[in-house]
Amino acid sequence: MPTTVTVNGTRHDVDLPGDVPLLWVLRDELGLTGTKYGCGVAACGACTVQIDGEAVRSCQVALADVWGAVTTIEGLGRPGALSALQQAWQDHQVAQCGYCQSGQIMQAAALLETTPAPTDAEIDEAMQGNLCRCGTYPRIRAAIHSAAQMIKEG
Amino acid sequence: MSRLGKITRRSFLIGSVALVGGVAFGVYAVSRPAPNPLDPAEGGATLNPFVLINPDGITLIAPKAEMGQGIHTTWAALIAEELDVALDQVRVLHGPPAAAYYNSVVLAEALPDKGYDRSDMAHALGEQLGKIGKLLDLQITGGSTSVPDGYDRMRAAGASARETLKQAAAERLQIDRARLRTEAGAVIAPDGSRLAYTDLAVAAAGLDPIEAPLRPKSDWRLLGRTQPRVDMLAKITGTATFSIDVRRPGMKFAALRRNPHLGGRMIRFDDSAARAMPGVDRVINLDDGFAVVASNTWLAMQAADAVEVEWGGAPHPATPEAIFGKIAEAFDGRANSTLRDDGDVSAPPLGTEEISAEYHLPYLAHATMEPMNATALYSGIKLEIWSGNQLPLIIRNACAQAVGLKPEAVELHTTLMGGGFGRRAEPDFSVYAARVAREIADTPVQLTWSREEDMSHDYYRPGAIARYRGGVKDGRAVMIDGQIAAQGATPQAMGRWLGLPIAGPDKSTVDGAYNQPYAIPNYRIRGYLADLDLPVGFWRSVGASFNGVAFDWFLDELAHAAKADPLAFRLAAMGDTYAPARQVLEAVRDLSGWDGPRAANTGRGVGFCYCFGVPCATVIEVAEADGEVSIPRAWIAADVGTALDPGNLEQQFTGALAYGLSAACFEEITFTDGAADQLNFPDYEALRISTMPEVSLRILENQPHIAGAGEPGTPPAMAALGNALFDLTGTRPRRLPLMHDFPLKI
């Protein structure tokens, strides 16, 4: 029996075993490839999406256990209609290879939901599960501060 | 990429024969013009195309692997600077594999001279070697060569295109070309009217390309200034297509499993349970492993786990200790190289205080964020393959051979890369995808390696042992005598890529040690090749990634023996050898406030390395609190000759530092029974945002030759960290990773 999941506001009936991780449902079934596979063991954060606003590692959430509405990077903003965080990422030219950045941005978005003006220590705490092998961390930090300011100023 | 294919078929001009509606430019002093890759049907063209214009717009070809280093942006800026187009006006594509896109400088990097003292004659020799590079199909992105490779050639391509378009406009307007100027993709007539390049392309196509002198630096509009990256928007909206994101109609997903005991056989396997699992189509025997084809990647990986398989043993020493024992044995044999032998290390001056030390540097995995993968479609007469790779021609040829087709029957699309670091120069991940595709003809299939498969089947940075003895007298270095033993990465890789046996001195084993700009009067470096056959390859900064550490750590030990300040000691040892090297050390001294007061419970170390044509010096500060050591700050100074994009240089040097510090702190691959003991990030930790230092950078432009920035920042960061830990703790680092001997914050 198909499982129904809501992703970026759209309902999908997915005919897959319930133990398939959400990551692979998104990527291989729904064609939402912005969410990345990095480690499969929740150690790198590349697969981070939000479920009801909470940042989760989609490689660890089974399809049958998806408890709410899923938001992926594609649902956060688009070229031409960037979210504040994506705009800050653009302004600070954060990405190098870019592979981890979807996960970084989704994690940062969840941080700003709960902590609108995070300190450096709060950023460290929230973002340390998201690995970047290119070392873009200083710009990630700066972009999060900028986005927080942007949101505050409306 | 398919877009380029369409443009190509529809609209190119080859030589002076106009096809429909487009033109390709580019004329360079190449002794044997390579076929124009943009229309393989037309061989022997006289043009090397990097600029494509058709009625839809302007496309610049940047045939370099974009693995995060920003080369598509910088390469396009080189062309655009002379062509007079804005970067947001053009499309930048990688283009097809082609000899025309050969790397003109990578073989010059292989010259066994010191680099910083390269004579004009040696530079000319390097250029000649570049032409051989074309013959060897070395369209490679690596060795920090893209910027020096493209610096003159791409500006020339842009200038030639511009002048030829102006000539077409001059003929249309019946006026002299000198009276025209160009701006933002158009030729401007004396009366101010604009003729768009897109409208002039066909006419320009009929003209002989015109060569033009390059503009002086003082006229640059784009170069020398930070440019917004052409790939940024896609990468922050999840719309960039890495090879793992390629989706084709009817596509299947596959998982690969190979013998973890590297080089061992697959004795037998039983796939009956796997074949019964949901979504599984096929289990394919690949002789040295198997692939599972399924309806999604996870189902394929699960089924691969369910295959019962018996693996044969590996032909390598059984323990990490035995492997390093084998490396140490190399010292007992003949030296492979003595690339430096100044003075007489057997007779240091009377009164010299001698010390010695031995350093152990581990094997390392690349651990790109995007695991190895490729997508392939085989039709029986044709193979199409999508792969993020650094070596397209050789990889195309290897795929062709693997499926029994001619190279011309293989179409390779080079995608964006989720990290390369040298790993994606290897053909293996593309070849395995091609072999799986051959078994399921007419079905596109994406073969993704699990992280575990990726980490356990790398071409590793070789493990190395460095033995140094040296001496100081009157506060100065008077002798350094180094011996380095490691597997030779270059001989193994060249054999793998080109089928060429490589003999003679292997520079990669001693790079970063023999060619340092120090005037130490008695200075000898010998390299020894270890008799091991673990798979090894090129890892960001290659030989300098271990030599840049051990050599510099030993200098630091010498400075301590001489009771000298470590930075002043290095400056004194450099003497007048190479002014740009002195200047980066002085710059990092000033930038970091080296001579100023230090906070309590902190330590500082300096590291210096000259590699890939760049002198780079780094200062690291470490701080101890609650029994843990963190790395709060780092300062870098480097001389790249000409800084094309300051913002991108900051990213490259910061990234190179992070990559080096990650390895220095936490990373090693050890092998038990020939199998990697580390399989995923929990076993192979890296710097996180919480452990990353704040970085300050100063770029200098004192040296005469432009140089690339991808690698030179890695070795001195690793070296400086070890030296800072000594400053803090009084304990000398003698091996990596440092977490074994120091309580580093994770």
Side-chain angles (χ1 to χ4, degrees):
Chain A
M1 197 177 105
T3 310
T4 302
V5 286
T6 302
V7 183
N8 302 329
T10 304
R11 285 166 56 93
H12 300 272
D13 291 326
V14 180
D15 195 7
L16 280 174
D19 60 349
V20 176
L22 176 60
L23 168 65
W24 299 108
V25 176
L26 295 170
R27 291 187 51 81
D28 294 356
E29 195 71 21
L30 304 181
L32 293 167
T33 55
T35 304
K36 303 303 189 204
Y37 166 64
C39 69
V41 297
C44 77
C47 68
T48 304
V49 302
Q50 292 178 11
I51 300 179
D52 287 346
E54 181 192 346
V56 299
R57 307 291 185 236
S58 63
C59 73
Q60 298 299 307
V61 178
L63 173 61
D65 296 339
V66 175
W67 61 86
V70 178
T71 307
T72 69
I73 187 72
E74 292 92 344
L76 196 70
R78 304 184 307 280
L82 297 180
S83 66
L85 267 168
Q86 287 163 317
Q87 185 60 52
W89 246 248
Q90 169 87 315
D91 295 345
H92 287 272
Q93 293 281 296
V94 172
Q96 291 186 34
C97 92
Y99 193 77
C100 73
Q101 298 297 342
S102 297
Q104 302 277 2
I105 292 170
M106 295 311 291
Q107 185 73 38
L111 168 66
L112 292 185
E113 281 297 316
T114 57
T115 314
T119 62
D120 281 347
E122 286 167 334
I123 290 174
D124 281 357
E125 179 64 27
M127 303 297 296
Q128 64 184 342
N130 290 77
L131 189 60
C132 172
R133 296 282 289 164
C134 302
T136 63
Y137 302 124
R139 292 192 181 196
I140 288 174
R141 184 188 303 287
I144 292 173
H145 285 306
S146 284
Q149 193 64 28
M150 231 184 283
I151 293 165
K152 185 180 159 195
E153 289 166 2
Chain B
M1 289 307 117
S2 56
R3 218 166 167 185
L4 176 64
K6 238 179 262 166
I7 294 168
T8 309
R9 281 188 291 276
R10 198 168 73 219
S11 61
F12 272 116
L13 167 126
I14 303 301
S16 56
V17 183
L19 302 182
V20 184
V23 57
F25 291 101
V27 182
Y28 327 101
V30 179
S31 53
R32 275 189 224 174
N36 187 325
L38 299 175
D39 190 339
E42 295 274 343
T46 55
L47 299 183
N48 287 335
F50 293 89
V51 180
L52 316 180
I53 301 175
N54 74 2
D56 304 333
I58 299 168
T59 302
L60 305 183
I61 302 298
K64 294 288 180 181
E66 179 53 84
M67 47 194 161
Q69 80 280 42
I71 193 58
H72 278 192
T73 305
T74 300
W75 191 274
L78 286 165
I79 304 170
E81 182 65 63
E82 290 283 349
L83 184 58
D84 285 334
V85 293
L87 283 184
D88 58 9
Q89 271 185 310
V90 300
R91 189 164 51 218
V92 182
L93 296 178
H94 179 282
Y101 300 139
Y102 73 101
N103 188 323
S104 68
V105 300
V106 71
L107 287 182
E109 177 58 34
L111 286 174
D113 63 359
K114 300 187 193 78
Y116 59 84
D117 64 345
R118 191 167 289 171
S119 64
D120 289 345
M121 194 183 138
H123 267 287
L125 176 61
E127 283 170 24
Q128 292 304 315
L129 284 171
K131 291 166 191 167
I132 300 169
K134 183 174 60 174
L135 300 180
L136 294 182
D137 289 346
L138 279 179
Q139 183 190 345
I140 186 168
T141 307
S144 296
T145 56
S146 293
V147 160
D149 183 21
Y151 182 53
D152 286 338
R153 288 203 295 154
M154 291 311 103
R155 288 185 297 147
S160 167
R162 181 194 71 227
E163 290 306 309
T164 312
L165 286 159
K166 277 167 71 180
Q167 183 61 32
E171 290 176 13
R172 186 175 299 178
L173 298 171
Q174 302 278 297
I175 58 171
D176 192 85
R177 173 161 58 100
R179 297 184 59 206
L180 300 171
R181 61 189 183 86
T182 48
E183 181 185 276
V187 178
I188 314 295
D191 66 2
S193 60
R194 299 170 65 86
L195 289 81
Y197 289 173
T198 46
D199 295 335
L200 292 166
V202 175
L207 304 174
D208 285 335
I210 297 166
E211 294 196 46
L214 301 180
R215 288 170 171 162
K217 241 186 211 188
S218 53
D219 288 355
W220 285 353
R221 299 164 301 108
L222 303 175
L223 301 175
R225 293 175 173 79
T226 298
Q227 300 303 322
R229 286 178 62 136
V230 297
D231 52 356
M232 187 60 64
L233 188 63
K235 286 177 173 178
I236 62 176
T237 51
T239 56
T241 303
F242 299 91
S243 62
I244 204 168
D245 301 326
V246 169
R247 294 291 177 269
R248 309 296 297 168
M251 191 166 110
K252 295 290 182 182
F253 298 88
L256 178 69
R257 194 59 50 88
R258 283 191 294 155
N259 191 338
H261 307 281
L262 296 163
R265 294 165 47 234
M266 181 167 71
I267 295 168
R268 50 156 217 103
F269 73 98
D270 176 355
D271 61 4
S272 45
R275 277 188 287 115
M277 290 172 69
V280 173
D281 288 346
R282 292 273 303 271
V283 178
I284 294 168
N285 183 348
L286 297 167
D287 300 328
D288 56 342
F290 60 88
V292 178
V293 180
S295 62
N296 78 47
T297 308
W298 189 80
L299 293 171
M301 288 178 180
Q302 295 300 109
D305 287 343
V307 173
E308 287 178 34
V309 59
E310 186 183 341
W311 301 116
H316 308 296
T319 65
E321 295 73 26
I323 288 169
F324 271 79
K326 195 78 185 166
I327 294 172
E329 274 178 26
F331 291 122
D332 302 334
R334 271 184 49 200
N336 165 263
S337 72
T338 306
L339 290 183
R340 185 142 182 177
D341 194 1
D342 296 348
D344 183 355
V345 293
S346 66
L350 211 60
T352 296
E353 181 188 347
E354 283 196 36
I355 61 167
S356 62
E358 179 172 306
Y359 306 96
H360 286 223
L361 298 313
Y363 287 83
L364 291 171
H366 297 81
T368 60
M369 285 302 300
E370 180 190 10
M372 296 302 110
N373 70 86
T375 300
L377 172 61
Y378 174 82
S379 72
I381 54 168
K382 191 181 171 220
L383 175 73
E384 195 170 5
I385 187 153
W386 294 261
S387 113
N389 73 85
Q390 300 173 239
L391 195 64
L393 267 173
I394 285 171
I395 288 175
R396 181 198 66 180
N397 296 347
C399 290
Q401 190 179 17
V403 300
L405 290 174
K406 291 201 165 75
E408 307 84 77
V410 177
E411 187 176 359
L412 171 64
H413 307 279
T414 298
T415 65
L416 292 173
M417 274 144 260
F421 311 127
R423 177 63 180 90
R424 287 192 151 86
E426 301 293 345
D428 55 348
F429 57 95
S430 304
V431 167
Y432 278 105
R435 290 177 62 194
V436 171
R438 185 180 56 180
E439 301 301 316
I440 51 170
D442 300 318
T443 305
V445 59
Q446 178 165 89
L447 181 68
T448 300
W449 298 24
S450 67
R451 173 59 61 193
E452 291 80 4
E453 197 69 21
D454 178 288
M455 200 169 279
S456 61
H457 291 89
D458 204 339
Y459 291 95
Y460 302 94
R461 198 287 299 270
I465 300 175
R467 289 180 177 166
Y468 281 94
R469 55 185 279 273
V472 293
K473 190 185 175 193
D474 303 330
R476 296 176 67 114
V478 294
M479 189 253 288
I480 189 162
D481 182 18
Q483 296 170 274
I484 298 107
Q487 283 185 253
T490 303
Q492 199 194 78
M494 290 302 134
R496 186 160 69 229
W497 296 351
L498 303 168
L500 292 178
I502 301 286
D506 174 35
K507 177 183 168 179
S508 67
T509 299
V510 291
D511 192 28
Y514 81 92
N515 50 356
Q516 296 306 292
Y518 290 105
I520 299 168
N522 306 288
Y523 180 173
R524 178 172 69 172
I525 297 294
R526 289 173 291 173
Y528 299 80
L529 298 188
D531 184 20
L532 284 163
D533 200 27
L534 286 158
V536 292
F538 302 119
W539 187 95
R540 196 172 191 169
S541 78
V542 194
S545 71
F546 46 88
N547 289 312
V549 178
F551 183 92
D552 191 83
W553 279 359
F554 189 67
L555 271 187
D556 218 67
E557 298 207 29
L558 286 174
H560 187 71
K563 300 180 177 57
D565 171 81
L567 199 153
F569 180 82
R570 285 172 177 77
L571 278 173
M574 282 176 180
D576 298 326
T577 308
Y578 183 53
R582 284 187 62 90
Q583 287 155 347
V584 300
L585 263 175
E586 289 163 353
V588 84
R589 177 191 66 199
D590 299 344
L591 186 67
S592 66
W594 177 267
D595 294 326
R598 311 271 174 96
N601 300 321
T602 65
R604 280 194 185 184
V606 63
F608 170 87
C609 186
Y610 173 88
C611 63
F612 302 95
V614 174
C616 180
T618 302
V619 168
I620 296 278
E621 180 179 88
V622 291
E624 192 266 329
D626 305 325
E628 266 191 344
V629 176
S630 61
I631 312 170
R633 290 192 288 178
W635 299 264
I636 308 167
D639 191 332
V640 298
T642 299
L644 294 181
D645 186 317
N648 193 49
L649 286 166
E650 182 198 305
Q651 287 277 59
Q652 283 306 292
F653 279 96
T654 303
L657 172 135
Y659 198 72
L661 292 183
S662 293
C665 290
F666 308 118
E667 296 172 4
E668 67 178 331
I669 296 289
T670 57
F671 302 95
T672 302
D673 295 330
D677 296 315
Q678 296 76 20
L679 299 176
N680 204 325
F681 291 124
D683 320 321
Y684 200 80
E685 201 31 87
L687 248 57
R688 306 273 172 162
I689 194 168
S690 48
T691 44
M692 174 80 187
E694 184 186 321
V695 180
S696 306
L697 171 69
R698 186 169 295 166
I699 292 291
L700 285 78
E701 300 178 277
N702 295 323
Q703 64 156 319
H705 303 293
I706 193 165
E711 294 164 284
T714 295
M718 303 166 89
L721 176 61
N723 295 332
L725 288 167
F726 170 74
D727 187 49
L728 178 73
T729 66
T731 301
R732 274 293 169 195
R734 293 280 172 77
R735 61 172 175 168
L736 292 177
L738 294 160
M739 66 173 180
H740 290 323
D741 301 305
F742 299 91
L744 296 172
K745 180 181 169 192
I746 296 179

